[in-house]
Amino acid sequence: QVQLVESGGGLVQAGGSLRLSCAASGRTFSSYGMGWFRQAPGKEREFVAAINWSSTSTYYTDSVKGRFTISRDNAKNTVYLQMDSLKPEDTAVYYCARRYSSGGYYDPRDYDYWGQGTQVTVSS
């Protein structure tokens, strides 16, 4: 089965940057879209960003547009989330996920494999 492992989370001051990585196993990684979601305490898991298999299309939730950048390197089976100008409201556990081939991008139910998450904490 596909395994996803996130890394790169940590504690950063408001206005700072972090780069998250998601390393994936599986020989068919390059055939799937990938997404990042986040979940803050007491809140539902929410969509953050997604990228299609060829990196020709990207999608972002409005709150991170202009600050976050999703990218992927299929040769390394890795997807990235560059987070700049971080705000305290970005604090959450960030999850990497693989998209269903026939699914959408914004709903967690459109994804079939999930990593265990990495904590991002932005202090004020």
Side-chain angles (χ1 to χ4, degrees):
Q1 292 185 330
V2 173
Q3 292 183 322
L4 305 175
V5 181
E6 302 96 335
S7 63
L11 175 64
V12 65
Q13 292 184 335
S17 298
L18 286 172
R19 189 194 195 200
L20 305 184
S21 297
C22 173
S25 66
R27 59 187 178 182
T28 61
F29 173 81
S30 63
S31 298
Y32 294 87
M34 299 291 294
W36 287 95
F37 289 75
R38 66 188 181 187
Q39 188 166 25
K43 293 188 175 181
E44 296 292 318
R45 189 166 300 188
E46 67 170 345
F47 171 78
V48 177
I51 188 168
N52 72 344
W53 69 273
S54 60
S55 298
T56 56
S57 297
T58 57
Y59 309 85
Y60 299 94
T61 190
D62 286 344
S63 64
V64 308
K65 287 181 179 177
R67 300 189 299 120
F68 291 10
T69 303
I70 188 171
S71 62
R72 67 191 296 167
D73 186 340
N74 290 341
K76 296 181 178 179
N77 283 353
T78 302
V79 62
Y80 306 96
L81 185 67
Q82 177 67 45
M83 305 185 295
D84 299 321
S85 301
L86 283 162
K87 304 175 181 179
E89 52 262 44
D90 295 318
T91 295
V93 177
Y94 283 71
Y95 298 90
C96 176
R98 190 185 80 173
R99 177 182 174 269
Y100 283 113
S101 295
S102 60
Y105 286 95
Y106 307 111
D107 194 312
R109 292 174 293 182
D110 293 325
Y111 296 79
D112 59 357
Y113 287 95
W114 295 81
Q116 293 186 347
T118 185
Q119 177 71 49
V120 172
T121 303
V122 184
S123 65
S124 60

